[in-house]
Amino acid sequence: MSTLIIAEHDNASLKAATLNSVAAAQAIGGDIDILVAGSDCQAVAKQAAQIAGIARVRVADNAAYANALAENVAPLIVEIAGDYSHILGTATTTAKNILPRAAALLDVQSISDISAVISDDTFERPVYAGSMIATVQSSDAIKVITVRGTAFDAAASDGGSASIEAIDSAHDAGNSSFVGEEVAASDRPELTAAKTVVSGGRALGSEEQFSMIYHLADHMGAAVGASRAAVDAGYAPNDMQVGQTGKIVAPDLYMAIGISGAIQHLAGMKDSKVIVAINKDEEAPIFSVADYGLVADLFVALPELEAAL
């Protein structure tokens, strides 16, 4: 039994999300390899080789893999899949794009967003916006799985000494191309990796007033999140959305400001270790999951909190 993990990276450094998949692979058992597919990505391979418990790092360094296009990476995975019983990737937008395509090419059923490993063929995954947990058993020879990062503690990023092996073949399907990207520059922590998250909802009332959330987050060294209602209203950009159709977070502290707590939002943050809610509606669903709740007008409470900080 052996597992292949698809590395998450930007061709310069390994993303922390990869370590969550390593932890899931360790729970499954057996040998663990990491696939680094990219361009000029040798530095990433060296980082991956230092992860504790990794047997081998397989590197496909080619321009075809520079931007992790699913049409190119999926055939690469299929090419080497025969060596493995499990193929894992953390459930980021990248892995959720690549792995179902690889599963289809392998003619197996992909298993998405697992939150626990029961055995090497049985897993738990949340359904119905996290209100229920399904237990899924697979009889496929190769199990293709995405891992909910917040459900697994990151594996140790050092202490390993894996061998590095080059893969010479390149796959360029030619039916898609990378056009460009807009990277949001921010001094704040990355939302899904932050230990503290301050999120604002529709109750902020406007994009200008949403700046109160930024000010509070800066005082706390926190990342900024938003409810879907706030994003749809244009108060915050899409990449800040927390919830079932946004990002899944599980920080040490999550502050929900002016967020009612619809089930779709709770699905994205209810695993946070400590949840603090401020809402003037004492019947708001957010209070059902909050460890600390303050029934107050946020426009009064936030300036007082910021002054105290």
Side-chain angles (χ1 to χ4, degrees):
M1 187 169 63
S2 58
T3 298
L4 177 68
I5 294 172
I6 311 306
E8 186 91 12
H9 64 90
D10 60 2
N11 292 311
S13 61
L14 188 72
K15 300 296 185 183
T18 305
L19 301 176
N20 302 111
S21 283
V22 173
Q26 290 170 341
I28 293 170
D31 295 331
I32 304 172
D33 290 352
I34 291 181
L35 172 64
V36 176
S39 179
D40 295 326
C41 56
Q42 294 301 319
V44 179
K46 291 177 181 178
Q47 283 182 270
Q50 295 173 1
I51 299 173
I54 301 303
R56 178 174 53 163
V57 176
R58 306 185 73 175
V59 186
D61 194 332
N62 189 280
Y65 307 127
N67 302 112
L69 296 176
E71 293 82 357
N72 296 347
V73 178
L76 171 66
I77 294 172
V78 172
E79 178 184 329
I80 63 176
D83 297 335
Y84 301 98
S85 57
H86 298 75
I87 300 174
L88 269 60
T90 303
T92 62
T93 52
T94 300
K96 287 190 289 187
N97 189 24
I98 294 171
L99 286 181
R101 181 181 291 268
L105 293 172
L106 289 166
D107 195 25
V108 300
Q109 173 66 55
S110 64
I111 304 172
S112 63
D113 211 25
I114 68 165
S115 56
V117 175
I118 306 302
S119 68
D120 62 357
D121 67 353
T122 307
F123 313 91
E124 289 183 353
R125 59 181 300 271
V127 294
Y128 300 120
S131 60
M132 298 181 71
I133 301 297
T135 301
V136 180
Q137 186 174 35
S138 172
S139 59
D140 287 327
I142 301 174
K143 295 160 184 62
V144 180
I145 300 167
T146 59
V147 174
R148 175 168 285 209
T150 57
F152 295 88
D153 292 334
S157 60
D158 54 17
S161 56
S163 61
I164 298 177
E165 172 190 291
I167 299 175
D168 294 328
S169 61
H171 297 268
D172 189 349
N175 57 0
S176 67
S177 61
F178 179 77
V179 175
E181 63 182 349
E182 294 182 13
V183 180
S186 175
D187 293 331
R188 300 185 186 96
E190 201 279 319
L191 182 56
T192 56
K195 293 187 180 298
T196 304
V197 174
V198 179
S199 281
R202 181 165 47 192
L204 271 299
S206 69
E207 183 178 2
E208 292 73 23
Q209 292 179 145
F210 196 89
S211 63
M212 298 173 69
I213 300 297
Y214 297 129
H215 295 155
L216 180 60
D218 289 342
H219 278 295
M220 301 177 67
V224 175
S227 67
R228 177 172 180 173
V231 170
D232 286 349
Y235 304 165
N238 285 36
D239 61 352
M240 288 185 182
Q241 183 178 324
V242 173
Q244 184 181 14
T245 54
K247 293 180 178 177
I248 308 297
V249 301
D252 293 339
L253 172 63
Y254 186 88
M255 298 187 67
I257 314 295
I259 295 175
S260 63
I263 189 171
Q264 290 85 356
H265 186 77
L266 300 186
M269 46 65 70
K270 67 180 182 179
D271 291 331
S272 303
K273 293 180 176 63
V274 177
I275 299 171
V276 174
I278 300 176
N279 199 298
K280 66 180 181 181
D281 178 9
E282 62 184 31
E283 301 297 328
I286 192 69
F287 289 125
S288 67
V289 298
D291 298 285
Y292 300 93
L294 176 62
V295 179
D297 185 335
L298 68 88
F299 295 107
V300 175
L302 281 196
E304 293 178 350
L305 176 58
E306 189 174 337
L309 289 170

